Amino acid sequence: MAAVEEPTVIVNKNKKYRKEKPWDTDDIDHWKMEEFKPGDMKSHLLEESSFATLFPKYREKYLQQVWPNVVSALKEYGIHALLDLIEGSMTVKTTRKTWDPYVIIKARDIIKLLARSVPFEQAKRVLQDEMTCDIIKIGNVTRNKERFVKRRQRLVGPNGNTLKALELLTECYIKVQGSTVAALGPYKGIKQVRNIVMDTMNNIHPIYNIKILMTKKELMKDPTLKEESWDRFLPKFKKKNVQTKKPKKTTVKKKYTPFPPPQQPSKVDLQLESGEYFMKEHEKKQRKQEEKAQAHETKVNEKAEKIKQVYVAPKEEVVVRNDGGEDSSNAVDIENLKRKLKKKNLPVMEVKKVEGVPVVVEEQPVKKKRKRKTEEEDAADDGEVPPLRKEKKKKKKSEPDAVISEVVPDETPKKKKKKKSTAVSEETVSEPVEKKKKKKKKVPPTE
């Protein structure tokens, strides 16, 4: 009997040389990172590795305070740290005591984070095996500075709420400083943070990515959806690019003419017309200076006219009477004023009208004064002879004063002098009237 041919199994080219691994079971977590211990590296490092980073001047004071803690944290892994304040740099180096070959990369990340304003309490978490960091550059995404500031602020959110939501969902520490975003956390979270930051700077609002992360976090709790696609659950956002309508430019169509437009004169033609073409260089300069001086004079004159307009008096308003005539505000009807004063029993002053001077008359109420008895009346009442009174000579007005008073009367009210009360004593009354004071005769000087 013929031998039965076995069916040939087609093997994939990539899996041709693979062998079965009985020790590899489903219980093993391939993504788990085993802890590296001091005894795992058998020999010391053959060469020294070092990294240096510059830091801004405003971080100098903080780094001086924190640097002893940085040195003590790196000393445990056998790394030497150096702070140079003159150059403004931080340096980390390996030593013969270094027992972890990858820790120098972690130390480099620490000094990078410290330079980007991350506090040391957060930066030292990078030394853990499951933690990493990423410094995302956002300065070159947009050229417009105002747009860059708006989008960066959108990432932070009002009172930092958007940044807090991202930190909770990605389990990362995020620091926005200047033109960089420093993120520190697990590898998966760092990847999400980078995508969200770049989307935000490319004009996609972070709230959309936050909603997607929230739905994914809820779906992870359900074990039945572990092997299914989550696309049907995730929110889909349509782009709404609303363009503002610009006003259409209305162009007036010209009438069609078969003839071409007339040729415009060139610069040489214009110079020939004005005569500038035949002028020498010094003459051209002189002409330009004269034109400048003339333009300057016109500007000065315009400014002077504007200043003069401020001091021009405004036009006076004309009051229209009921009878149709024009009544100016300055004119005063003197006769009508006199009638009013007579009705009120007030003294009327004769005022002579002067051209160009408005007449104003002030009403002065007359005070009723109590009549006072004179010495003669008092003596007559008592039946005695009144004493003689000296008559005061009246002063004559000077000629120029008299002329001025006739032309323009003095409008200021004159203060009336109070009469001095002459107190009559008993002795003066008893003396006879005939007695007169004896005048002293002047005696000539004897030789």
Side-chain angles (χ1 to χ4, degrees):
M1 290 180 69
V4 180
E5 293 180 0
E6 292 181 0
T8 55
V9 179
I10 299 165
V11 181
N12 192 0
K13 194 181 277 188
N14 296 331
K15 295 180 181 179
K16 190 175 180 180
Y17 299 102
R18 285 194 180 182
K19 294 179 181 179
E20 290 183 3
K21 299 173 183 176
W23 64 88
D24 191 4
T25 57
D26 295 334
D27 300 335
I28 297 167
D29 187 6
H30 296 286
W31 292 101
K32 188 181 179 182
M33 294 180 73
E34 292 182 2
E35 191 179 352
F36 198 84
K37 294 178 182 178
D40 293 343
M41 194 171 75
K42 293 178 181 178
S43 62
H44 60 79
L45 297 169
L46 298 172
E47 290 186 8
E48 184 186 89
S49 302
S50 64
F51 291 99
T53 311
L54 298 172
F55 60 87
K57 197 173 183 179
Y58 62 85
R59 293 289 290 170
E60 186 177 323
K61 192 175 181 181
Y62 177 77
L63 289 170
Q64 276 181 310
Q65 294 173 358
V66 176
W67 198 250
N69 298 332
V70 176
V71 172
S72 61
L74 293 174
K75 197 175 182 181
E76 294 176 6
Y77 296 89
I79 299 291
H80 179 64
L82 183 68
L83 177 68
D84 192 350
L85 295 173
I86 297 164
E87 291 182 1
S89 65
M90 294 179 283
T91 312
V92 285
K93 298 176 183 179
T94 54
T95 59
R96 290 179 69 84
K97 293 180 180 179
T98 305
W99 50 267
D100 187 353
Y102 190 72
V103 79
I104 188 67
I105 306 297
K106 299 271 188 182
R108 180 202 64 183
D109 293 342
I110 285 175
I111 60 174
K112 271 188 181 180
L113 291 169
L114 289 170
R116 297 313 307 153
S117 299
V118 176
F120 174 69
E121 286 74 18
Q122 294 290 339
K124 70 180 181 182
R125 288 169 58 202
V126 182
L127 294 170
Q128 299 172 16
D129 290 336
E130 294 177 359
M131 303 293 279
T132 186
C133 74
D134 191 9
I135 293 166
I136 307 153
K137 293 178 181 179
I138 57 173
N140 299 327
V141 180
T142 54
R143 290 181 180 179
N144 193 354
K145 193 176 181 181
E146 290 179 2
R147 199 176 291 170
F148 166 75
V149 171
K150 280 182 182 178
R151 290 178 186 179
R152 187 181 63 182
Q153 185 59 35
R154 200 182 290 166
L155 183 66
V156 176
N159 299 322
N161 292 333
T162 309
L163 207 64
K164 284 176 187 174
L166 287 171
E167 285 179 353
L168 290 168
L169 292 166
T170 58
E171 297 176 359
C172 295
Y173 174 81
I174 304 164
K175 178 74 176 178
V176 180
Q177 179 71 22
S179 61
T180 57
V181 178
L184 187 147
Y187 289 93
K188 190 179 179 181
I190 290 290
K191 193 177 180 181
Q192 289 173 344
V193 169
R194 177 172 270 278
N195 292 333
I196 292 164
V197 168
M198 294 311 293
D199 286 346
T200 306
M201 296 310 294
N202 289 320
N203 204 19
I204 297 167
H205 204 280
I207 195 69
Y208 302 130
N209 289 311
I210 286 167
K211 282 183 178 180
I212 290 164
L213 287 172
M214 286 171 76
T215 50
K216 281 182 178 178
K217 201 170 186 179
E218 292 296 322
L219 291 166
M220 282 169 70
K221 294 175 183 177
D222 194 355
T224 55
L225 300 170
K226 192 175 182 180
E227 296 178 358
E228 292 183 18
S229 179
W230 292 349
D231 291 339
R232 55 190 173 141
F233 301 110
L234 298 174
K236 293 175 182 178
F237 305 102
K238 293 179 181 179
K239 289 182 180 180
K240 292 180 181 179
N241 190 8
V242 181
Q243 293 180 352
T244 54
K245 291 182 180 179
K246 294 178 181 179
K248 292 180 180 179
K249 292 180 180 180
T250 55
T251 54
V252 180
K253 288 184 179 180
K254 295 178 181 179
K255 290 181 180 180
Y256 173 74
T257 54
F259 305 105
Q263 190 176 358
Q264 297 295 325
S266 64
K267 277 187 179 181
V268 178
D269 294 334
L270 294 168
Q271 285 176 356
L272 286 165
E273 284 178 9
S274 61
E276 192 179 346
Y277 186 78
F278 305 103
M279 292 171 77
K280 293 178 181 178
E281 286 186 5
H282 69 274
E283 289 177 347
K284 287 178 183 178
K285 284 182 181 178
Q286 191 176 355
R287 190 176 179 181
K288 282 182 181 179
Q289 285 176 359
E290 285 174 1
E291 286 175 0
K292 280 184 181 179
Q294 194 175 356
H296 180 68
E297 281 179 9
T298 53
K299 282 185 179 179
V300 169
N301 292 332
E302 284 175 5
K303 284 183 180 179
E305 284 176 4
K306 284 181 181 179
I307 292 162
K308 283 179 184 178
Q309 284 176 4
V310 178
Y311 298 102
V312 174
K315 291 182 180 179
E316 295 177 353
E317 294 179 0
V318 179
V319 181
V320 182
R321 290 181 186 172
N322 295 331
D323 56 353
E326 290 184 355
D327 185 17
S328 63
S329 59
N330 292 338
V332 179
D333 193 358
I334 296 165
E335 291 179 2
N336 193 14
L337 220 159
K338 283 180 180 179
R339 288 172 201 163
K340 286 181 181 179
L341 292 171
K342 280 179 181 178
K343 286 178 183 178
K344 292 181 180 180
N345 296 325
L346 293 170
V348 181
M349 294 174 70
E350 291 184 1
V351 180
K352 290 188 178 182
K353 199 171 182 181
V354 182
E355 291 182 359
V357 180
V359 180
V360 181
V361 180
E362 293 182 359
E363 294 181 0
Q364 295 178 357
V366 178
K367 293 181 181 178
K368 291 182 179 180
K369 293 184 178 179
R370 292 174 66 186
K371 288 184 180 180
R372 196 167 185 182
K373 289 183 180 182
T374 58
E375 291 178 3
E376 293 175 1
E377 290 175 355
D378 291 338
D381 293 339
D382 297 336
E384 294 176 359
V385 181
L388 292 170
R389 289 175 63 187
K390 291 180 181 179
E391 292 182 0
K392 291 181 180 179
K393 292 179 181 179
K394 293 180 180 179
K395 289 181 180 179
K396 290 182 180 180
K397 287 184 180 179
S398 61
E399 289 180 1
D401 294 340
V403 172
I404 291 161
S405 62
E406 285 177 8
V407 176
V408 182
D410 191 7
E411 293 178 3
T412 54
K414 293 180 180 179
K415 293 181 180 179
K416 292 183 179 180
K417 292 182 179 178
K418 292 181 181 180
K419 291 180 180 179
K420 292 182 181 179
S421 60
T422 54
V424 182
S425 59
E426 292 178 1
E427 292 177 5
T428 54
V429 174
S430 61
E431 285 179 359
V433 182
E434 293 177 358
K435 286 183 180 180
K436 293 180 181 179
K437 289 180 181 180
K438 292 178 182 180
K439 292 180 181 179
K440 291 182 180 179
K441 291 179 181 180
K442 291 182 181 179
V443 181
T446 55
E447 290 180 359

